[in-house]
Amino acid sequence: MKRLFSALLVLLFAASLLTACTSGARVIPGSIVNLGQIGEISSINSDIAGSLGGERNAMELANLTSAKFYEVDQAGRLQQNLDLGVVEVLSKSPLTVKYSVVESAKWSDGTPIDAADMLLSWAAGAGRENFYSMRSGSGLMFAEPVGESKIGDRSITLRYSQPVADYETAITFPVAAHTVGRIGAANFSVDEAKQRILDAIQKGDATLLTVLAEAYRSGFNTWQGITNEKLFVSSGPYRVTKCEGVLALQLRANPEFNLGPAPVIETVNLSYFTDATTAVAALAEGSIDATTTQDSGLVTLSDLINLTSAITDPKANVSVRASSSAEQVIFNFREDGRFSGTYQSGDEAKALKLRQAFMNIIPRARIVAGLSDAYKVELADSLVFQSGSPYYESSVRDNGLSEYLFQDVEKASEMVAETGIELPMKVRVAFDINSPRAQAEWILLRERAASAGFKLRSVGGDDLGETLRTGQFDVFIGAQPLISLEGQNVFALTASSFVGFESPKVDALLADLAKAEDERGRASALKAIDAELVAEAYGMPLYEVAALVVYSDRFASFTPSPRSESVTWGYQNWKLQPNK
């Protein structure tokens, strides 16, 4: 049956070559939508985050400028995009996957999308050299290309050394190979630039690959604006047409786009704000039409909702939903982390007991109760599942977190004493000092810590990203992705984790997840991962992070994204009120 289904997909893929149509007829001349984002945009290469928290803005840009093999539907599930191509599993042992694009697939400048683009995507996502791709640490790190590719080939094949669950979304098209290949070599033709990419990757030219990695990660930086329009090449429904710095981008619909849902609005202006209040104020003034945000600065989500409810002209519509993240307390397992086995002179049992002791002092109930005064908070009892999942309750029942249901300072104190460490144990806690949620959590966590033998000190300050990058912390408080949701990087727990968590048992369970034949098998693997994370005292979930989308009544049609984390998702459904 599965082979038959694969064959049908290939037939549908072939049919799409004949039926693909351009989007120009749908675009409404002169139509403009203005969208607000929080933070900055550091690169128009949507595979580069540039800074802590930059991932979301990069993903928002990718929704508009990058074609995808799979799209997220209204239910939050992945759906294959046959307009672009097909992802076909050739073998399960070892996992071998063929990625093919339709013959009509082109970049916005008319250059065909081919194997050079896909191999560049693989090299970046696999973590080769220093590309700094947002996909580094994904399943691509276990993949190697099969055979040689040449300019004009419409497919590549990757062989994975172990099963991975994210192979469907592994290859992306944020920037063109011929664009990257021309950075620093402006006189190259398109084919010469593509060949430069192919040679670096397939001949193992480390020197050239280092040069191309630098072009990939830095050549599209927005810090001083971008005047070279050749960098604006896009595979998506829109292309950047103006970049004057980190706070604003202008995009125009690509009239030839036929690799996914067609755009309707001609011009999209993206404005980037320092915090949520300024974005909401801009919406009230009519300078933006929609924004998505979480609480920031000294303003809670409840404050933001109250602010938006007071906006009458234009009227503001609000959507609040659980996002794809949960606020968590996570330990640093890197060598400088004081809860790691390495720091405790290789004594893994001692390190585990210290982590378990610390988990006993986390006042989960008080944290959630305090935040509930500001807005509805959904307690998170799983490190993997969202509360809306049909498998959430059964996982919670068996994952072991019931051992930490209530703060137990006496038990924590006894466990610390059993380790024989010198007291007090100094613990560096990293969190976003500008987040009211994190500030409240820090205050409550600190209250009873000393009674259990822990002396807490906040670290991170204004440069939390640098603190996390260098590993100079012991505990992190912040939002982390729930890997059970489709499209999430399941290796965020291990290989791509900034906390350096390594676990052969979790790795084996991730392999089981990748090999799962159906939803029940996938759920079984995820439940086992949830329980193992608790058993190894990876960290503690606190609550599900809510996300807020606000959009004005200038829209006649606007569909909030499945988890209210995006204003660029669903661009094809945008409709404006007449004369607005």
Side-chain angles (χ1 to χ4, degrees):
M1 178 63 75
K2 290 197 171 184
R3 288 186 178 180
L4 175 61
F5 182 70
S6 296
L8 287 172
L9 277 179
V10 173
L11 287 173
L12 286 170
F13 169 64
S16 72
L17 300 183
L18 302 176
T19 60
C21 59
T22 62
S23 65
R26 288 199 60 187
V27 176
I28 301 172
S31 54
I32 301 174
V33 161
N34 303 300
L35 304 177
Q37 307 278 288
I38 308 303
E40 298 177 342
I41 187 73
S42 60
S43 175
I44 60 170
N45 178 352
S46 59
D47 194 32
I48 301 296
S51 61
L52 182 71
E55 293 90 348
R56 176 165 297 178
N57 288 343
M59 289 188 289
E60 287 281 74
L61 182 62
N63 286 340
L64 299 177
T65 61
S66 183
K68 302 173 185 176
F69 279 117
Y70 279 80
E71 300 279 0
V72 176
D73 66 13
Q74 182 61 49
R77 295 187 176 277
L78 291 175
Q79 299 293 338
Q80 188 161 188
N81 174 22
L82 294 174
D83 289 335
L84 172 62
V86 67
V87 178
E88 182 184 5
V89 175
L90 302 180
S91 170
K92 292 185 177 179
S93 184
L95 178 63
T96 307
V97 183
K98 183 178 181 180
Y99 301 86
S100 305
V101 297
V102 296
E103 288 189 16
S104 59
K106 295 180 180 180
W107 294 94
S108 58
D109 65 355
T111 302
I113 296 175
D114 64 9
D117 300 298
M118 290 183 274
L119 283 176
L120 175 62
S121 179
W122 163 76
R128 295 301 188 270
E129 298 306 320
N130 293 310
F131 281 89
Y132 290 1
S133 162
M134 292 203 305
R135 294 170 295 129
S136 62
S138 69
L140 285 177
M141 64 186 168
F142 302 112
E144 291 290 339
V146 177
E148 291 284 313
S149 297
K150 62 182 183 299
I151 296 171
D153 287 351
R154 294 293 182 167
S155 66
I156 65 167
T157 298
L158 298 180
R159 181 179 293 128
Y160 293 81
S161 60
Q162 70 174 59
V164 300
D166 61 348
Y167 68 87
E168 294 169 323
T169 57
I171 297 297
T172 60
F173 301 90
V175 289
H178 66 281
T179 305
V180 175
R182 279 172 161 172
I183 295 176
N187 294 328
F188 277 31
S189 68
V190 167
D191 282 356
E192 287 173 332
K194 283 178 177 283
Q195 193 61 51
R196 195 176 181 220
I197 299 290
L198 292 174
D199 288 346
I201 295 172
Q202 296 184 151
K203 294 181 179 180
D205 188 333
T207 301
L208 179 54
L209 197 58
T210 298
V211 171
L212 294 173
E214 168 66 22
Y216 189 89
R217 70 174 181 268
S218 303
F220 302 85
N221 285 351
T222 60
W223 305 108
Q224 295 180 325
I226 299 176
T227 56
N228 181 2
E229 294 189 1
K230 291 182 178 179
L231 298 179
F232 294 158
V233 175
S234 160
S235 66
Y238 290 86
R239 58 182 288 267
V240 174
T241 53
K242 185 183 295 184
C243 171
E244 297 179 344
V246 298
L247 299 179
L249 293 177
Q250 182 184 80
L251 290 75
R252 294 290 294 273
N254 174 8
E256 302 300 320
F257 180 72
N258 62 353
L259 304 179
V264 178
I265 302 301
E266 185 175 48
T267 301
V268 177
N269 293 315
L270 298 177
S271 298
Y272 298 85
F273 298 90
T274 54
D275 58 40
T277 52
T278 54
V280 171
L283 190 139
E285 295 167 358
S287 57
I288 63 171
D289 305 310
T291 188
T292 180
T293 186
Q294 299 172 5
D295 50 17
S296 64
L298 299 176
V299 182
T300 66
L301 198 62
S302 178
D303 294 328
L304 293 172
I305 293 172
N306 291 334
L307 286 172
T308 55
S309 64
I311 300 173
T312 57
D313 186 21
K315 181 182 177 182
N317 304 283
V318 179
S319 172
V320 182
R321 298 177 183 176
S323 70
S324 58
S325 302
E327 191 84 347
Q328 299 177 2
V329 177
I330 303 175
F331 296 102
N332 181 9
F333 292 82
R334 293 153 73 176
E335 61 181 15
D336 289 332
R338 293 166 186 172
F339 289 96
S340 70
T342 302
Y343 190 89
Q344 297 300 330
S345 304
D347 192 336
E348 295 290 346
K350 180 179 180 180
L352 174 62
K353 179 161 284 190
L354 287 171
R355 295 195 299 272
Q356 291 171 332
F358 195 89
M359 287 170 65
N360 272 289
I361 71 164
I362 300 174
R364 295 176 70 229
R366 292 178 62 203
I367 288 172
V368 172
L371 291 170
S372 295
D373 291 339
Y375 50 87
K376 186 179 184 300
V377 173
E378 190 72 44
L379 179 69
D381 286 315
S382 170
L383 288 159
V384 170
F385 289 99
Q386 193 179 53
S387 60
S389 167
Y391 306 103
Y392 176 79
E393 290 187 6
S394 59
S395 187
V396 168
R397 184 177 60 245
D398 302 328
N399 67 7
L401 274 175
S402 58
E403 292 293 320
Y404 306 95
L405 195 58
F406 302 104
Q407 183 183 40
D408 193 335
V409 177
E410 183 178 350
K411 181 179 179 180
S413 179
E414 292 173 355
M415 295 179 75
V416 170
E418 289 171 3
T419 66
I421 65 167
E422 182 180 347
L423 299 179
M425 178 180 175
K426 297 178 181 179
V427 178
R428 300 162 298 174
V429 182
F431 60 94
D432 182 0
I433 62 172
N434 294 314
S435 166
R437 298 194 317 255
Q439 285 280 8
E441 293 152 12
W442 158 249
I443 291 170
L444 290 171
L445 181 63
R446 188 179 54 185
E447 279 184 1
R448 302 292 304 281
S451 300
F454 298 110
K455 184 178 181 180
L456 306 192
R457 175 169 66 91
S458 68
V459 295
D462 294 326
D463 197 352
L464 177 60
E466 180 66 11
T467 299
L468 299 182
R469 187 186 66 80
T470 57
Q472 299 303 306
F473 68 100
D474 305 306
V475 173
F476 169 71
I477 304 174
Q480 289 295 289
L482 295 167
I483 66 165
S484 64
L485 298 172
E486 293 200 50
Q488 294 293 335
N489 177 12
V490 296
F491 295 102
L493 294 173
T494 53
S496 64
S497 172
F498 63 90
V499 297
F501 177 66
E502 296 179 354
S503 167
K505 290 183 179 180
V506 172
D507 286 341
L509 292 170
L510 287 172
D512 290 343
L513 174 64
K515 292 183 287 187
E517 296 284 341
D518 52 27
E519 187 176 347
R520 179 173 294 183
R522 177 179 166 82
S524 177
L526 287 166
K527 288 165 65 175
I529 291 171
D530 200 15
E532 185 59 31
L533 290 173
V534 176
E536 297 190 32
Y538 168 81
M540 173 83 74
L542 299 176
Y543 55 86
E544 294 180 354
V545 176
L548 171 75
V549 165
V550 187
Y551 56 100
S552 78
D553 64 356
R554 185 167 176 262
F555 283 102
S557 174
F558 182 94
T559 305
S561 61
R563 291 182 279 276
S564 287
E565 294 176 301
S566 172
V567 287
T568 58
W569 179 91
Y571 63 85
Q572 69 273 19
N573 299 318
W574 293 340
K575 292 181 182 177
L576 299 178
Q577 297 284 3
N579 303 319
K580 284 197 176 184

